[in-house]
C-alpha cells in the first residue's frame, strides 16, 4: 500500500482508525482502504452510519452558533477528528470574529490535517492528546496560549465519549474538565445509543462488533447513562434529545430517520 504525502510516517496505514472511518462516512479523502473496508462492514449492519455522523456535525454547528450567541468566544473541541466542511473554528469565527478555538485529537492524521487547515490562523490551534488525560490537555501550550480558563469556555465532546470504556471512567474525566471551567461554560455533547436506531438492537450490535474487532470499542449507552455526564450542569432547553431535535434549523420531520440515533445536549455550569 502506497503511503500518500499527507499520511504521517509514524502511523501504521494497515490499521483502521475511527477518525479516518468517520472521514469516510462524511465523504472526506483522508482515509485508506483499510478504513473504508471497516466502514463498509459496519454499514452492512447499520447503513445509516453516514447519516448519523452528518447529524452529529449539524448539531455541533448549531451548538457552536448558540454558544457564540450567548457570548462565548472560547471553544475546546476534544476528539475533533479530521477537519471537514463546517469546522468549529469556521462556525465560531464567522459568528464571533476573534473567537479562540483549540482542537484536540490523538489521531496523527487528524492532528496533521488540522495543523494544515489552521495554518495562518492565529486564533486556533491543535493539540495531540487523549481525552482520558485532562491535565495534559489543559496544561498544553496551545490551551495556555489561546484559552483563558477564568472565562467561559464551550467544551465540545461530540461523538467521542462513546469510545471511552467504563473501565477508563469517562464520568470522572468529564467531571475533571468541568472542575477546570469557569462559571457560565458550556458542555456540548453527543453520544451513541441503541435508543432511536431504526432497526432492532441485535442488528445494530453487528456494527458495534466491527468496532470491537478493530480494537476501538463503540460503547452504546442508554439515555440515563448519557445524562449522567451532565451532573453539575444546568441543561439548556430542550435538554438531552435526539440530535435533530436540539434547536433545529429545519423541520425535524424532514430529517433522515437515522439522524435520531443517539442523543445530544448542552449543559451550562452554574
Amino acid at each position: 500500500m502506497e503511503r500518500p504525502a499527507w499520511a504521517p510516517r509514524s502511523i501504521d496505514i494497515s490499521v483502521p482508525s475511527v477518525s479516518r472511518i468517520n472521514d469516510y462516512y462524511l465523504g472526506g479523502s483522508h482515509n485508506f482502504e483499510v478504513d473504508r473496508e471497516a466502514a463498509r462492514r459496519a454499514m452492512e449492519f447499520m447503513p445509516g452510519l453516514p447519516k448519523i455522523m452528518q447529524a452529529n456535525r449539524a448539531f455541533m454547528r448549531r451548538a457552536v452558533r448558540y454558544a457564540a450567541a450567548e457570548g462565548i468566544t472560547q471553544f475546546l473541541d476534544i476528539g475533533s477528528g479530521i477537519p471537514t466542511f463546517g469546522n468549529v473554528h469556521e462556525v465560531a469565527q464567522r459568528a464571533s470574529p476573534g473567537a479562540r478555538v483549540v482542537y484536540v485529537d490523538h489521531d496523527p492524521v487528524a492532528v496533521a490535517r488540522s495543523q494544515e487547515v489552521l495554518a495562518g490562523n492565529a486564533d486556533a490551534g491543535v493539540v495531540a492528546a487523549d481525552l482520558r488525560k485532562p491535565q495534559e490537555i489543559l496544561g498544553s501550550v496551545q490551551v495556555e496560549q489561546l484559552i483563558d480558563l477564568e472565562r467561559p469556555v464551550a467544551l465540545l465532546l461530540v461523538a467521542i465519549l462513546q469510545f471511552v470504556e467504563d473501565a477508563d471512567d469517562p464520568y470522572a474525566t468529564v467531571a475533571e474538565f468541568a472542575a477546570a471551567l469557569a462559571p457560565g461554560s458550556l458542555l456540548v455533547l453527543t453520544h451513541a445509543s441503541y435508543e432511536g436506531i431504526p432497526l432492532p438492537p441485535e442488528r445494530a450490535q453487528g456494527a458495534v462488533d466491527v468496532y470491537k474487532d478493530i480494537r476501538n470499542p463503540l460503547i452504546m449507552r442508554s439515555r440515563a447513562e448519557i445524562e449522567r455526564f451532565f451532573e453539575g450542569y444546568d441543561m439548556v432547553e430542550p435538554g438531552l434529545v435526539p440530535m435533530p431535535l436540539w434547536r433545529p434549523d429545519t423541520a425535524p420531520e424532514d430529517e433522515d430517520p437515522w439522524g435520531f440515533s443517539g442523543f445530544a445536549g448542552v449543559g451550562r455550569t452554574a
Side-chain angles (χ1 to χ4, degrees):
M1 183 186 304
E2 185 177 350
R3 182 183 297 270
W6 51 261
R9 301 298 303 179
S10 60
I11 67 170
D12 183 348
I13 62 176
S14 68
V15 177
S17 149
V18 168
S19 289
R20 299 195 307 266
I21 290 172
N22 287 343
D23 181 67
Y24 174 72
Y25 290 149
L26 292 168
S29 59
H30 287 70
N31 51 75
F32 307 120
E33 180 55 32
V34 67
D35 305 305
R36 297 187 285 273
E37 173 59 25
R40 288 191 289 263
R41 285 172 52 210
M43 289 169 62
E44 289 176 8
F45 300 97
M46 290 178 60
L49 280 166
K51 294 295 184 182
I52 295 173
M53 287 309 303
Q54 291 167 18
N56 268 278
R57 297 286 298 181
F59 160 77
M60 177 272 289
R61 291 191 288 268
R62 296 196 305 274
V64 169
R65 290 198 298 268
Y66 168 81
E70 292 291 297
I72 291 181
T73 60
Q74 304 185 108
F75 298 82
L76 181 57
D77 183 5
I78 304 179
S80 50
I82 297 170
T84 184
F85 174 76
N87 301 292
V88 170
H89 74 280
E90 295 170 328
V91 178
Q93 292 175 352
R94 186 179 304 120
S96 179
R100 303 288 186 89
V101 178
V102 174
Y103 293 120
V104 181
D105 208 289
H106 65 80
D107 183 281
V109 172
V111 172
R113 178 60 180 153
S114 296
Q115 290 170 333
E116 181 182 342
V117 168
L118 297 176
N121 189 331
D123 292 322
V126 57
V127 179
D130 192 308
L131 164 68
R132 294 167 294 185
K133 299 178 180 178
Q135 294 310 314
E136 184 177 313
I137 294 170
L138 295 169
S140 66
V141 172
Q142 294 87 344
V143 168
E144 290 183 348
Q145 290 179 342
L146 291 169
I147 304 293
D148 179 2
L149 293 174
E150 297 299 315
R151 297 192 298 112
V153 176
L155 171 63
L156 287 88
L157 300 175
V158 176
I160 180 63
L161 290 167
Q162 61 210 37
F163 293 104
V164 182
E165 298 180 83
D166 289 341
D168 290 320
D169 201 348
Y171 297 104
T173 297
V174 174
E176 191 169 346
F177 278 109
L181 300 180
S185 293
L186 298 178
L187 171 61
V188 177
L189 183 153
T190 68
H191 200 297
S193 177
Y194 285 119
E195 299 175 41
I197 293 179
L199 48 70
E202 55 270 20
R203 179 68 179 173
Q205 180 65 42
V208 173
D209 289 342
V210 170
Y211 283 90
K212 183 178 180 180
D213 289 344
I214 65 171
R215 299 182 181 180
N216 282 281
L218 174 59
I219 313 301
M220 307 290 269
R221 294 188 169 97
S222 68
R223 185 184 186 282
E225 289 172 324
I226 298 167
E227 201 166 33
R228 279 185 57 199
F229 288 114
F230 288 98
E231 289 183 2
Y233 290 86
D234 295 324
M235 294 300 295
V236 171
E237 290 293 334
L240 186 64
V241 294
M243 291 174 285
L245 298 182
W246 198 90
R247 299 178 177 247
D249 292 328
T250 57
E253 56 267 26
D254 294 336
E255 296 288 337
D256 189 283
W258 281 96
F260 292 82
S261 305
F263 294 95
V266 176
R268 179 182 284 108
T269 57

